[in-house]
Amino acid sequence: MRLGLLASGRGSNAEAILTAIDDGRLDAQPVVLICDRAGAPALEVARRHIVPAELIERASYATREAWSTAIRDCLLANRVDEVALAGFAAILDPVVVDAFEGRILNIHPSLLPAFAGSVAPEPQAAALREGVRSSGCTVHIVTNDVDAGPIVAQAAVPVLRDETVESLSARILVEEHRLYPEVLQWVAEGRVRIAGTKAFVDQAP
Ligand code: GRF
């Protein structure tokens, strides 16, 4: 499985995925990491793991469509089979989503469909504001409806007394780093099926 990563910031999920590949827990070949922000730590993560990094910034393109087309063409040029959004802070346009239909995964720091449509740390802050007793993370397939594609896996964490956005985010992040490489391995094994609005994971043979 030729894997493309898209990241905008810290890059800890990219780090977890690339470490799983290095350790032999994830059978994938990371062929490119695309970043839309100059200076993002995610670029350094790619460099350390010897993965080619491409900076494709929105500001370098006249239109959003031209920028999206550049992202799509970079993924196609690298013959990417599967795309993992790993802290990619922008919404992907249909030009990318349609070219890789059903083959783009995202991780979101809440139990979707709760607290959709915003980027970290807003979903964690919303969980505290609403007083929910559990939150967590969701790996889902990306469609043109933001944060609403088929759910592949979730991990729940309890919301503790005296919780802060930082403490909740940190405990959710531990689960993100465990879950995302695991789901990618299921995809590599051909075990994730999409049926309408739902995803199903077949048993390991
Ligand atoms: C994570 O909380 C992830 O769920 C969300 O954005 C954050 C990215 O963190 N999509 P990192 O860049 O992977 O460290």
Side-chain angles (χ1 to χ4, degrees):
M1 182 168 85
R2 293 174 68 85
L3 181 66
L5 296 158
L6 266 66
S8 301
R10 183 176 55 186
S12 71
N13 278 286
E15 173 79 52
I17 291 165
L18 294 174
T19 300
I21 292 172
D22 292 347
D23 293 352
R25 282 178 287 126
L26 171 53
D27 187 15
Q29 191 184 348
V31 290
V32 68
L33 181 145
I34 297 173
C35 183
D36 65 338
R37 291 197 189 154
L43 288 164
E44 175 59 21
V45 170
R47 200 193 61 75
R48 265 194 286 109
H49 287 270
I50 327 194
V51 175
E54 297 283 348
L55 181 63
I56 305 182
E57 289 182 284
R58 170 67 186 87
S60 306
Y61 294 85
T63 62
R64 210 184 137 80
E65 186 168 11
W67 172 67
S68 302
T69 302
I71 292 175
R72 181 199 64 192
D73 290 351
C74 179
L75 294 168
L76 290 173
N78 283 284
R79 295 183 289 117
V80 163
D81 298 312
E82 186 74 22
V83 180
L85 307 188
F88 189 65
I91 292 169
L92 275 186
D93 279 347
V95 74
V96 185
V97 176
D98 295 347
F100 288 87
E101 195 184 347
R103 293 188 290 142
I104 307 177
L105 288 173
N106 181 44
I107 189 150
H108 185 81
S110 75
L111 295 176
L112 289 173
F115 315 129
S118 61
V119 298
E122 175 51 28
Q124 295 94 324
L128 292 188
R129 275 200 307 276
E130 297 298 332
V132 295
R133 295 295 190 264
S134 296
S135 190
C137 58
T138 302
V139 178
H140 68 94
I141 290 158
V142 171
T143 63
N144 287 310
D145 293 330
V146 176
D147 294 336
I151 291 169
V152 183
Q154 295 184 306
V157 304
V159 178
L160 305 178
R161 283 170 75 109
D162 303 324
E163 193 84 270
T164 64
V165 173
E166 291 72 28
S167 64
L168 179 60
S169 300
R171 289 203 336 286
I172 291 174
L173 201 60
V174 171
E175 294 302 315
E176 293 187 31
H177 295 166
R178 180 187 61 75
L179 192 65
Y180 211 175
E182 198 177 347
V183 170
L184 283 163
Q185 178 59 24
W186 299 341
V187 172
E189 291 169 6
R191 291 167 52 198
V192 177
R193 279 183 300 112
I194 305 170
T197 58
K198 291 186 186 167
F200 295 91
V201 181
D202 292 331
Q203 295 274 336

